[in-house]
Each structure stands twice: as structure tokens, then as C-alpha cells.
Amino acid sequence: MAKIKKLGSTPNVMVVISLTIALFLIGMCGLLTLNARKLAELVKQNVELQVYLDDDLTTSKLDSIYKILIKKEFVLLKENSPQINFISKEVAAKQFIEESGEDYRRLLGDNNPLHNLYAVKIKQEYFNDAKLKEIKVALELIPGVHEVAYVENFVDEVNKNISKIYLVLSVFVMLLLLIIIILVNNTIKLSLYSQRFLIRSMQLVGATNGFIRKPFIIKGALQGLTSGLVASSCLILLQQLAVRKVEGLVLLQEMDKMIYLLLGILIIGTLMGILSTFQSVERYLRLSLDELY
């Protein structure tokens, strides 16, 4: 006995697989964007202004300079604490020897040529060469400040590279989304092909277009939601595997942003399933009997 087809019963596996692959690729682009944004944020937060001080400053003078610095609006605050560290010239000398591998004492003896300094971290909105130059000039006017230094070319290079990364990812996501919409739409259209005569039969017995659409739309929404759940699960597994294998990657993880990304995948999957199904059903609803063949 032949099996009677039910309205809305379309091939499920291929549609879910196609949608899952599409949503996973979109999620990967989103995850890369989040990691790139977090990496840029960490880089910016670790840029320091090195405020070198004059020799033989008294403790009260050092405190006075510190109080001036903490009032500056460009100083980064973390938990309401200004990110300013005092580094004595003895500590600076030790760091120099460890990093460079060269011992200046062989040439200069115990005469330490370095200066005491304040290492000042700055807020992200001041992360460009023009503003940093203004800050440098202003700080060097403070009595007791010998010189202010920072890695000048590094700042602009980071900003340029960040902009390039965002541009490339944005273009890639838009192209990928366009291709995916076309592929998923064709897949759903083919899955509905076997039901075209059943749709026509329902029209002939007086069923309204809304009544005919309903089971297909519900099925499309469920397919999209299922694909979103599978794609989200794969994305989480891939992320956790990467965190375990790549040292330092855990610093780039933001759970709140990740949750929004996963919710976005579920919403996009559901909408793609509904809209593609709606468009395909509409096409068959408008076809004449001759065109169905």
C-alpha cells in the first residue's frame, strides 16, 4: 500500500544539513570577529606611556607627580584603580639586562644611566598617535618629568591592522551570507518539489493559501531551529577544543558575547527556514497546473 503524503512533510535531513553548515560558517565568522575585537582591546589596554623622572626627586615630589597623573582623564581605570605603576631605576636596570642580555655595568660600573619612571596605561579612546603626542607634550611640562616615551609607530600600525581585519571579515560574511541564502533557498525549494501536486489539490478543494502555508512554515521554522542548535553545539565544541590546545586563547573568551552570538545563530536559522520556506511555497501556490509539470 502506497504511503499517503501529509501536507508539509518535506525531506528533512538535507535541509537541516545545509542550514547547519551555513549557520556554522556564519558562527565561525562571528567568533573570529569577537576574538579579533577582544585581542585589539587587550593590545590597547597594555599600551603604556613611560613617564621618566628627573634624578634625585624626593618622596614628596614623587607623590606630587603621581597625584597629578591620576587626575588625568586619559589614565585607564580598572575597578576604579588608576593603572599607574612606579618602576625604580634599579628595577628598570634589572629588566633591561634580562630582556637585552647585555650588562651595562661592564662599561659603566655601578653608575645606573636609567631613570625612575611611572608606567601609565591609557584608555582606548586615546589610542592614536595624534592624541598620544598631545599627552606627551602635556606631561613633559610637569616639573620633575624628564621625558615621556611610547612606541610611536606601533599605535598606528595596530589601528590600521584592526581596521583591515574588520573590513575583510565584514566583506567575507556578507558574501557568505548571500551565497548561503541562495543555496538554502534552492535546497528548500527542491524539498518542496515533491509536494507541488498536493498543494494544487488543496487549492482545488478550497483550502486557503494561509491554511496551505501553515504546516510548511512550521516545518521550516523547526528545521531552522534544529540547524541552529546543531551549529551552536559544534561551535561551542570547537571553541572549547581551541581553548585547550592554544595557549593564551582563553584570554580572548567573552561568555556574554558568546551567548549573544549563539542566540543570533538560532534566530538567523529560524528566520532563514521560515523565509525560504515561505518563498518556495508562494512560488508553487502561484503556478498553473501546466507549469507544475
Side-chain angles (χ1 to χ4, degrees), residues 56-293:
D56 302 324
L57 293 179
T58 62
T59 303
S60 61
K61 186 60 180 176
L62 292 174
D63 290 339
S64 175
I65 295 174
Y66 177 79
K67 289 176 181 178
I68 294 173
L69 291 175
I70 63 175
K71 293 179 182 178
K72 299 296 183 181
E73 60 182 7
F74 57 79
V75 175
L76 178 67
L77 298 177
K78 190 173 290 185
E79 298 178 356
N80 293 323
S81 176
Q83 299 301 291
I84 302 175
N85 294 318
F86 176 76
I87 301 175
S88 68
K89 61 182 186 179
E90 290 77 20
V91 173
K94 184 178 179 181
Q95 291 176 349
F96 174 80
I97 293 172
E98 290 177 351
E99 292 173 2
S100 66
E102 298 179 2
D103 192 346
Y104 67 88
R105 291 172 295 187
R106 294 175 183 174
L107 296 174
L108 302 178
D110 293 330
N111 184 25
N112 188 341
L114 303 178
H115 292 266
N116 297 325
L117 66 93
Y118 283 112
V120 182
K121 292 186 179 180
I122 62 171
K123 295 177 181 176
Q124 290 189 48
E125 53 265 36
Y126 294 91
F127 193 80
N128 65 68
D129 266 341
K131 290 183 178 180
L132 288 176
K133 286 177 181 177
E134 292 178 5
I135 294 171
K136 171 182 168 68
V137 172
L139 292 182
E140 288 180 343
L141 295 176
I142 299 174
V145 173
H146 177 74
E147 183 186 10
V148 176
Y150 64 93
V151 184
E152 296 186 15
N153 294 332
F154 174 73
V155 173
D156 273 350
E157 285 300 318
V158 169
N159 283 329
K160 289 177 183 177
N161 289 333
I162 290 171
S163 298
K164 289 178 182 178
I165 290 172
Y166 285 157
L167 178 62
V168 170
L169 285 176
S170 298
V171 172
F172 182 71
V173 168
M174 294 303 295
L175 290 175
L176 183 64
L177 193 57
L178 179 62
I179 294 170
I180 285 168
I181 289 173
I182 294 172
L183 290 176
V184 170
N185 190 54
N186 287 336
T187 302
I188 291 178
K189 189 183 294 182
L190 288 173
S191 73
L192 289 171
Y193 181 77
S194 62
Q195 294 244 322
R196 65 193 188 284
F197 290 113
L198 182 56
I199 291 174
R200 182 63 177 176
S201 298
M202 295 295 291
Q203 285 180 308
L204 292 175
V205 298
T208 63
N209 288 347
F211 179 84
I212 297 172
R213 287 192 204 100
K214 185 177 179 180
F216 290 105
I217 297 298
I218 293 174
K219 186 68 175 291
L222 291 175
Q223 288 173 335
L225 184 60
T226 301
S227 301
L229 289 171
V230 175
S232 297
S233 301
C234 292
L235 202 61
I236 292 172
L237 289 174
L238 181 64
Q239 182 206 33
Q240 294 303 312
L241 180 63
V243 168
R244 292 178 183 177
K245 296 293 184 181
V246 181
E247 185 178 354
L249 192 60
V250 67
L251 297 174
L252 303 181
Q253 307 309 305
E254 296 179 287
M255 290 309 299
D256 54 338
K257 301 290 192 307
M258 187 67 180
I259 291 172
Y260 289 135
L261 176 62
L262 297 178
L263 287 175
I265 291 173
L266 294 177
I267 293 171
I268 291 172
T270 305
L271 288 177
M272 286 178 68
I274 291 173
L275 294 176
S276 296
T277 302
F278 179 85
Q279 184 181 6
S280 298
V281 173
E282 279 297 298
R283 177 176 179 271
Y284 289 117
L285 286 173
R286 291 194 300 267
L287 292 178
S288 65
L289 184 61
D290 291 337
E291 290 173 323
L292 291 177
Y293 288 96

